[in-house]
Amino acid sequence: MFTSRPTLQGTFGMVSATHWLAAQSAMAVLEDGGNAFDAAAAGAFVLHVVEPHLNGPAGEVPILLAPAGGEVRVLCGQGVAPAGATVAHYRGLGLDLVPGTGPLAAAVPGAFDAWMLLLRDHGTKSLADVLKYAVGYAEHGHAPVENVGATVETVRELFETEWTSSARVYLPDGTAPRPGRLFRNPALGATWKRLLDEVAGAGDREARIEAARRVWRTGFIAEALVRQAGRPTLDTSGEHHTGTLTADDLAGWSATYEAPVTYDWNGWTLCKAGPWSQGPVLLQQLALLPAELPPHGSADYVHLLIEGCKLAMADREAWYGDTGEVPVAELLSARYNAQRRALVTGRACDELRPGSPGGREPRLPAHARVVLDDASSTAPGAGEPTVARLSASPVPGEPRVGGDGATRGDTCHLDVVDRWGNMVSATPSGGWLQSNPVVPELGFPLGSRLQMAWLEEGLPASLTPGRRPRTTLSPSLALHDGEPVLAFGTPGGDQQDQWQLHFFLAVALRGPVRGGLDLQGAIDDPNWHNDSFPGSFFPRGTRPGSVTVESRMPADVIEELVGRGHRVTVGEPWSEGRLCAVARDPRTGVLSAAANPRGMQGYAVGR
């Protein structure tokens, strides 16, 4: 079949990332003798520089890793709510929702420590070797993609009047970053160089990495982050607030390893992060599938996947969180999903229908059934979008570059596999340039992930000190017959596990291309998403029955979906999904990779 690009194949190493500079920097590390984990860390720090509207060092990242010959693990780079981040505190400020921007929305930053643990425990390169690519682009500049400047323009007034430290970085001469003109962030480059100087005498490779973790948690970086959290900042509530992050919060938190949640399907084992993430939604969507699927891409097929997604997302809202009491086994059990599957009919359902795993009664937040209108999402910097760009979209969190002053953060992704069989999948996010003012001494902002927690006591996802906010971040790693074969993922907030399901089924059910998995064909397939569940980002809310499809979907399929009661918005032809993927055939050692053509910046590279 014709694809936008070839599925790459080789034997040395493969990288797929949402920005070509990150992909090529990671590949340079592989060429220099590094392994997949070294390469992923280097690529991630480059993403902080070249996609600052999509992620930053003070954001978060879940990482799935499969060391050659070892067990798949999850490395959690999602920080917790600070000790002072209580429902009572936020309610006392007159808030019903955590603001979508500003220091009240900041969790303990998690991304940096996670990358340091990955590098320490599984990498081979020094911290200086890994950071040099990011330092180079920050100091000497890079030609930014269009969306960096477009995002800055949407918050220009905010930067110029309130977040002036951000204006100094992103509007240095009154002009937003633009393609063809080098953009620099010297403050960020200086931060990493100072960090490297401070740890240079700490000892061997591992000791220097540990010293860098201490600098982040208790040194000059921590001090600057805490100062920033204490500065009154205009946020999406329309008021100035200070945050709750303290030195003790930073000093007391560390990234952690944990076992993945898994599900077996047709010879595959899918591995995901736990219910503090959105990961199990992909697994439950698989569990909801019938034994025989309708023809791929047909109206029956699309309808089935949409309706299954609604059920899994309703369960996410009722049951997921960082509580230790989430009934994951029951949510993925055959008996439970047979009962849930019976709810799917030939008509679209607009109701939010969580189930009762183990006989438990579901409880939804009061805000869960708030229906958004077209004017609901206008606060600068709030939310996380799809990547579709429509003039009149019903999608919550849709980016509107220009016009109403609203902009949203999104996410990045990268996957790496090396010649030894090491494999990693990561979805860095948060710490967006539009989430908080730039910390003047550091060159990057705090994050805003706490906006995903509810200000209502007793829910699995209630704002609770020491707990991780339930995120949408959802990298994937798949085994076939027990061997790691495929790493994949996408940005896109609530859409991530919708787009990934369609991709995975296309990969798993199609015949081979050039003897391997059809990664590029599966990425290129027309995709879609629905919004019949509470959005995870400020101002939250739902759009019952809303389905957005790419215009490349056959007209007869769209017509039949409308006839079944779906409220269909037809988007641009290449607008749904930003998937990346790498694969390894354990029988032959052949590696492969593919990347999303949408947005014209994701690339795969390898040999």
Side-chain angles (χ1 to χ4, degrees):
M1 65 177 285
F2 176 82
T3 57
S4 64
R5 309 163 179 179
T7 294
L8 306 183
Q9 291 188 328
T11 56
F12 180 82
M14 291 283 165
V15 182
S16 180
T18 50
H19 194 292
W20 63 83
L21 291 179
Q24 188 55 55
S25 298
M27 191 67 200
V29 173
L30 294 180
E31 295 284 4
D32 194 42
N35 65 19
F37 310 114
D38 299 311
F45 282 100
V46 170
L47 287 173
H48 297 159
V49 179
V50 301
E51 292 192 319
H53 59 310
L54 306 179
N55 79 137
E60 48 275 329
V61 59
I63 305 170
L64 269 69
L65 57 142
E71 296 293 322
V72 176
R73 300 291 287 169
V74 175
L75 178 48
C76 174
Q78 175 56 62
V80 299
T86 64
V87 169
H89 175 64
Y90 286 61
R91 289 285 190 178
L93 296 172
L95 298 170
D96 295 322
L97 292 172
V98 177
T101 61
L104 277 179
V108 177
F112 180 85
D113 199 57
W115 291 116
M116 291 301 98
L117 279 189
L118 183 74
L119 187 63
R120 183 196 72 184
D121 297 341
H122 299 281
T124 63
K125 290 291 186 179
S126 71
L127 181 58
D129 286 339
V130 164
L131 280 177
K132 67 181 180 183
Y133 305 93
V135 170
Y137 287 124
E139 274 197 324
H140 304 301
H142 64 96
V145 294
E146 290 83 353
N147 282 346
V148 177
T151 301
V152 172
E153 287 294 350
T154 65
V155 286
R156 172 185 285 273
E157 183 179 354
L158 178 69
F159 280 13
E160 290 178 336
T161 60
E162 292 281 348
W163 295 10
T164 54
S165 61
S166 297
R168 286 194 289 275
V169 174
Y170 291 103
L171 295 164
D173 56 0
T175 303
R178 62 175 183 259
R181 178 181 176 181
L182 289 179
F183 172 71
R184 299 174 175 85
N185 187 343
L188 177 58
T191 295
W192 296 144
K193 291 179 76 172
R194 180 178 172 183
L195 174 72
L196 291 171
D197 287 345
E198 289 198 8
V199 306
D204 61 12
R205 190 188 78 92
E206 289 80 6
R208 291 193 295 274
I209 293 170
E210 277 299 297
R213 296 179 70 205
R214 289 193 296 274
V215 170
W216 179 275
R217 287 146 75 174
T218 62
F220 79 93
I221 294 177
E223 292 168 359
L225 292 173
V226 172
R227 279 195 298 272
Q228 184 63 43
R231 294 182 175 117
T233 301
L234 181 66
D235 59 37
T236 57
S237 72
E239 302 292 335
H240 291 77
H241 292 116
T242 56
T244 61
L245 184 70
T246 68
D248 287 343
D249 293 319
L250 279 164
W253 184 84
S254 171
T256 53
Y257 292 99
E258 59 190 53
V261 179
T262 64
Y263 185 77
D264 295 331
W265 184 83
N266 282 15
W268 294 83
T269 299
L270 268 290
C271 302
K272 301 289 283 186
W276 53 268
S277 78
Q278 186 174 269
V281 163
L282 178 58
L283 308 184
Q284 189 177 358
Q285 288 179 99
L286 287 172
L288 284 163
L289 294 176
E292 295 293 330
L293 289 177
H296 183 84
S298 66
D300 286 341
Y301 176 86
V302 177
H303 173 79
L304 178 70
L305 267 57
I306 290 171
E307 295 304 299
C309 175
K310 292 176 183 177
L311 295 173
M313 285 296 206
D315 279 343
R316 179 196 77 168
E317 204 54 59
W319 300 109
Y320 287 22
D322 188 24
T323 67
E325 301 168 357
V326 181
V328 175
E330 183 70 19
L331 288 169
L332 299 179
S333 69
R335 179 178 178 181
Y336 177 75
N337 285 288
Q339 295 169 349
R340 301 286 278 154
R341 190 183 307 121
L343 297 175
V344 177
T345 69
R347 296 286 301 173
C349 179
D350 291 352
E351 293 180 54
L352 190 63
R353 299 181 291 178
S356 300
R360 301 170 180 85
E361 279 302 310
R363 179 185 160 199
L364 292 170
H367 200 79
R369 290 187 170 89
V370 171
V371 176
L372 293 179
D373 57 34
D374 290 338
S376 294
S377 214
T378 59
E384 184 171 51
T386 69
V387 293
R389 292 180 179 273
L390 313 176
S391 59
S393 172
V395 182
E398 188 73 36
R400 301 164 191 238
V401 176
D404 66 2
T407 186
R408 311 294 184 272
D410 197 359
T411 302
C412 308
H413 188 82
L414 76 161
D415 302 303
V416 187
V417 61
D418 64 29
R419 62 190 184 275
W420 300 288
N422 299 301
M423 189 176 289
V424 60
S425 179
T427 308
S429 187
W432 310 306
L433 67 87
Q434 63 275 27
S435 63
N436 258 297
V438 165
V439 183
E441 307 93 322
L442 303 179
F444 60 84
L446 286 163
S448 56
R449 192 58 58 173
L450 289 187
Q451 68 180 285
M452 309 180 81
W454 294 110
L455 295 183
E456 187 176 339
E457 298 283 9
L459 296 165
S462 296
L463 180 67
T464 308
R467 283 187 185 172
R468 296 167 286 190
R470 190 212 73 212
T471 82
T472 56
L473 305 178
S474 191
S476 299
L477 205 147
L479 289 67
H480 195 268
D481 295 331
E483 291 282 345
V485 167
L486 177 64
F488 62 101
T490 180
D494 293 311
Q495 287 72 46
Q496 290 182 32
D497 286 301
Q498 302 187 56
W499 293 333
Q500 290 187 75
L501 175 68
H502 182 42
F503 164 81
F504 174 72
L505 290 176
V507 168
L509 298 175
R510 278 190 182 144
V513 173
R514 295 179 180 166
L517 300 174
D518 183 16
L519 301 182
Q520 194 64 53
I523 288 173
D524 287 359
D525 268 358
N527 219 322
W528 66 85
H529 79 271
N530 88 91
D531 298 288
S532 292
F533 49 84
S536 294
F537 293 87
F538 184 93
R540 315 301 294 266
T542 182
R543 294 193 183 274
S546 171
V547 175
T548 304
V549 304
E550 291 182 332
S551 61
R552 294 182 297 124
M553 184 177 284
D556 61 325
V557 173
I558 296 173
E559 184 178 352
E560 186 167 341
L561 291 174
V562 172
R564 292 179 181 220
H566 298 283
R567 296 177 177 86
V568 177
T569 295
V570 179
E572 296 297 322
W574 295 88
S575 55
E576 290 285 315
R578 288 178 66 202
L579 283 145
C580 298
V582 301
R584 178 178 183 269
D585 187 335
R587 301 165 302 175
T588 64
V590 171
L591 312 178
S592 55
N596 170 54
R598 300 164 180 87
M600 298 186 296
Q601 67 183 67
Y603 261 89
V605 62
R607 68 174 179 87

